[in-house]
Amino acid sequence: MTSTASPARRTAKTGWNILGLLVAATAGFPVYWMLDTAIKPAKDAIDPDPSLLPTGFTLDNFSRAFDIADFWGPVGRSLVVSLSVVLIGVVVGMLAALAISRFAFRGRKIVIVGILAVQMVPLVAMIIPVFLLLNDLHQYDKLTGLIITYLTFILPFTVWTLRGFIVNIPRELEEAAMVDGCSRTGAFIRVVFPLLAPGMVATSVYGFIQAWNEYLYALMLLSQENQTATVWLGNFTTKHGTEYAPMMAGATMMAVPIVVLFLLVQRKMAAGLTAGAVKG
């Protein structure tokens, strides 16, 4: 019976491996095409019969990307916005998740349902109300206004995700620390916080990617002088057409911070994504 099941199991495993390779190739092809277009001559990027293999190598597209408009200004503004959103979102989200998961208070279930309901609202539907609100608060065309806007749709996810991580940490650990003389705050810092670190890393990476890649609100709420990196890529589309090779070079440079961040925290992120998946 074992001999008949083993070949079937190997066949199924091979099939899943092939399916995984196909999914990886499908997901990775746009990245490969972006890199290939970024390093090929500009005339080859608009060839009506493009080659799947690299046809040449040049760094002129990167020089053109720097020359067509200010690069470091938008990138710096994107970094300021993304890092601010991550820092504020993680601190506020951690405190809110701790309150929801550890304390019983009136309206707790309503808060939890409200967090889920907010995530169901399409971001496009809130553009006009957000614009009017920021205009009344004199935050239009300011990075602080964009940071506040990003927090409105990143915080609910942060709270909900960190809640799952905190629920998985047994209360007995905090109680044991308090019996040993720690205050509630001390028990949280010494016991809960270290165990919560992988979840905070995973949530921070998600928030950073969301803020870094967001385009619509950055386009609507900031002027050309205060544009972020995603809006900066639109400068490659002019009345004369789209310069695809420099645009792909700019997109490649924009992807570098995300790739570097992911490589630095990939282990903690993998642990964090699975740590909160047991209890709800």
Side-chain angles (χ1 to χ4, degrees):
M1 184 172 182
T2 304
S3 60
T4 58
S6 182
R9 188 179 296 111
R10 286 198 298 266
T11 302
K13 183 177 180 180
T14 302
W16 283 112
N17 289 337
I18 294 174
L19 179 61
L21 290 175
L22 290 175
V23 172
T26 303
F29 180 77
V31 179
Y32 163 76
W33 195 251
M34 177 186 71
L35 295 174
D36 181 46
T37 306
I39 62 175
K40 69 172 52 174
K43 60 182 181 60
D44 294 339
I46 56 175
D47 192 339
D49 187 20
S51 173
L52 292 178
L53 299 177
T55 57
F57 179 82
T58 179
L59 296 178
D60 292 341
N61 298 321
F62 292 91
S63 300
R64 175 61 176 156
F66 281 112
D67 293 339
I68 196 171
D70 178 32
F71 173 74
W72 296 112
V75 169
R77 285 187 285 272
S78 289
L79 282 174
V80 170
V81 171
S82 301
L83 293 176
S84 299
V85 169
V86 168
L87 292 176
I88 298 174
V90 169
V91 172
V92 176
M94 179 184 63
L95 295 176
L98 182 66
I100 293 174
S101 58
R102 285 292 192 257
F103 300 98
F105 55 88
R106 183 176 300 177
R108 177 172 173 268
K109 292 184 177 180
I110 297 177
V111 172
I112 296 175
V113 173
I115 292 174
L116 291 175
V118 169
Q119 297 184 71
M120 299 178 187
V121 179
L123 297 181
V124 179
M126 298 190 295
I127 289 180
I128 296 178
V130 168
F131 173 82
L132 295 176
L133 179 60
L134 292 181
N135 191 50
D136 291 339
L137 296 175
H138 304 289
Q139 292 298 315
Y140 174 73
D141 196 21
K142 293 183 179 180
L143 295 184
T144 53
L146 191 64
I147 292 171
I148 294 172
T149 303
Y150 286 173
L151 284 172
T152 59
F153 54 79
I154 290 177
L155 259 179
F157 173 85
T158 302
V159 174
W160 182 256
T161 305
L162 291 180
R163 173 187 173 272
F165 295 125
I166 295 176
V167 167
N168 280 325
I169 300 174
R171 291 175 179 265
E172 290 77 9
L173 296 178
E174 292 179 78
E175 294 172 354
M178 294 173 67
V179 169
D180 290 338
C182 286
S183 62
R184 180 176 292 274
T185 303
F188 172 79
I189 295 175
R190 291 178 172 83
V191 178
V192 178
F193 187 78
L195 298 175
L196 190 59
M200 295 176 64
V201 170
T203 307
S204 299
V205 172
Y206 170 84
F208 184 89
I209 293 175
Q210 288 291 101
W212 180 267
N213 290 334
E214 205 284 323
Y215 172 79
L216 187 59
Y217 279 86
L219 177 66
M220 297 295 296
L221 300 178
L222 296 177
S223 64
Q224 189 74 11
E225 292 75 19
N226 293 323
Q227 63 184 355
T228 57
T230 51
V231 181
W232 170 82
L233 284 175
N235 291 321
F236 294 96
T237 301
T238 65
K239 62 181 180 180
H240 302 294
T242 302
E243 300 185 56
Y244 291 102
M247 177 182 285
M248 292 300 101
T252 301
M253 291 187 290
M254 277 189 54
V256 168
I258 299 296
V259 174
V260 172
L261 177 63
F262 181 78
L263 292 176
L264 291 175
V265 300
Q266 59 175 332
R267 292 185 179 180
K268 286 189 174 294
M269 186 175 181
L273 290 174
T274 56
V278 180
K279 298 179 182 179

